[in-house]
Amino acid sequence: MVAPLKLGTRGSPLALWQANYIAELLRPVVAPRPVELVLIETHGDRDQASALSAMGGFGVFTKAIQNALLDGRADVAVHSLKDLPTIPEPRLELAAVPPRGPTGDAFVSRNHKRFDDLPPGATVGTSSLRRRAQVLNRRPDLKLLELRGNVDTRLRKLDDLGLDAIVLAEAGLARLGLADRITEILDPNWILPAVGQGAIGLECRSDDDETKQVLAQVRCESTFARVQAERAMLYALGGGCLVPIGATSKVLDGVLTVRGAVLSPDGRRRIVGTHEGLMRAPLSVGQELAGILLAEGAATECVPPMAA
């Protein structure tokens, strides 16, 4: 009997959507070998009360799945790429990223059609330091509330807690069939997405050449270049979930363009830069953009030490 290709995933509705989507992509590639999901509970799943920043931020949704790769319970880890730390994990490799989904941040409100319509002092819920800082940069009068939980939970809290609005990823709402709840897609000129937002990362063991060859067949090269550049920028800045950093990117005629922003946690300082280069050299593009941002003041104004 042929051993199945085992995909490690979280058990949330969005994570299961992503894992099943990847399974459907891979089944014709590995047929007649079966593809199975292995559900893994992460630290972030167990602790739904603490703020992500209070939990350390790094790997709270990914470390347990990576451990399952290392001990053989899974062959492929399916990650929301924005959750995957940029610090390399020994013996593991980000082998593929399929075509990217929507990258935007969605504004959801029952009483206000646009973010700019929010009255002074309105309360907005979000689980992201990046969103918090960028919202405060644009509207320092607003009250920000820490909002944890899966997509359905956060939508329910919009009503249960009497919030004026919440902000969450467009991709999650679209993938769960909840796009009709979106009031407005926020302008990326002022609220840049998280690094890797809307992308699904497929990780495997570095010495598993067979699985790497399988994953290469579902890799979108332009998406892979974009997220590599974004992640290289983030790594060079020394950032992660504890630092408000956003990025957006595009590829056109072999040219990769990345725009990045670094903010202070209170949103008062915002440093933005854009850089472009060849799509075939994404790491250089991201690292050079980080250098631009650091030269503009990100090193002292916004980014804590690497060990933080």
Side-chain angles (χ1 to χ4, degrees):
M1 183 176 179
V2 179
L5 182 69
K6 296 173 288 185
L7 309 185
T9 177
R10 297 169 58 204
S12 72
L14 179 56
L16 289 174
W17 185 98
Q18 293 177 162
N20 280 301
Y21 167 73
I22 296 302
E24 290 305 305
L25 290 181
L26 291 174
R27 284 190 174 103
V29 175
V30 301
R33 186 182 182 187
V35 178
E36 295 180 357
L37 304 190
V38 178
L39 272 58
I40 298 163
E41 187 180 46
T42 69
H43 179 49
D45 296 315
R46 288 190 296 273
D47 185 349
Q48 289 284 320
S50 302
L52 292 177
S53 56
M55 297 165 66
F58 297 100
V60 296
F61 293 117
T62 58
K63 186 65 176 177
I65 306 175
Q66 291 177 317
N67 288 338
L69 279 181
L70 292 171
D71 65 22
R73 284 176 289 148
D75 303 302
V76 178
V78 182
H79 301 295
S80 289
L81 192 55
K82 64 183 178 63
D83 294 332
L84 184 65
T86 57
I87 299 171
E89 180 70 28
R91 296 179 287 157
L92 298 182
E93 180 177 327
L94 180 63
V97 181
R100 198 171 193 168
T103 61
D105 286 304
F107 173 76
V108 179
S109 175
R110 291 194 179 277
N111 301 315
H112 308 285
K113 292 184 178 180
R114 299 170 61 248
F115 175 86
D116 288 341
D117 294 338
L118 287 171
T123 302
V124 178
T126 177
S127 62
S128 162
L129 286 179
R130 172 191 59 84
R131 294 185 185 116
R132 174 187 293 267
Q134 293 185 101
V135 165
L136 288 174
N137 178 264
R138 187 168 179 87
R139 288 284 304 273
D141 62 288
L142 297 179
K143 298 176 182 177
L144 277 294
L145 180 72
E146 176 73 26
L147 197 67
R148 288 287 314 279
N150 61 38
V151 173
D152 283 328
T153 298
R154 282 180 274 173
L155 289 172
R156 186 170 62 251
K157 286 181 178 180
L158 172 65
D159 296 324
D160 292 349
L161 300 179
L163 305 178
D164 292 288
I166 60 174
V167 181
L168 62 172
E170 175 188 2
L173 291 165
R175 286 168 174 163
L176 293 174
L178 296 169
D180 61 330
R181 295 298 306 272
I182 298 174
T183 309
E184 179 188 20
I185 302 300
L186 296 175
D187 186 349
N189 283 319
W190 69 263
I191 183 165
L192 275 71
V195 166
Q197 187 158 305
I200 301 171
L202 304 180
E203 194 176 30
C204 66
R205 291 180 292 277
S206 301
D207 61 0
D208 188 350
D209 292 333
E210 180 182 359
T211 298
K212 284 195 285 187
Q213 291 174 9
V214 167
L215 296 180
Q217 296 185 60
V218 299
R219 183 169 62 216
C220 172
E221 296 299 342
S222 62
T223 296
F224 200 51
R226 289 173 60 192
V227 299
Q228 282 183 303
E230 294 174 19
R231 288 170 59 81
M233 179 202 74
L234 180 59
Y235 180 80
L237 289 170
C241 293
L242 304 183
V243 184
I245 295 175
T248 187
S249 60
K250 64 180 180 180
V251 171
L252 182 62
D253 297 329
V255 176
L256 170 62
T257 303
V258 184
R259 183 168 177 257
V262 183
L263 296 94
S264 58
D266 62 8
R268 293 181 180 180
R269 283 278 295 166
R270 182 176 186 261
I271 299 169
V272 184
T274 302
H275 189 58
E276 67 178 32
L278 296 178
M279 172 184 150
R280 64 172 181 264
L283 300 183
S284 295
V285 175
Q287 291 163 358
E288 289 163 9
L289 176 56
I292 293 169
L293 295 169
L294 291 169
E296 290 294 323
T300 56
E301 296 289 347
C302 304
V303 182
M306 191 73 171

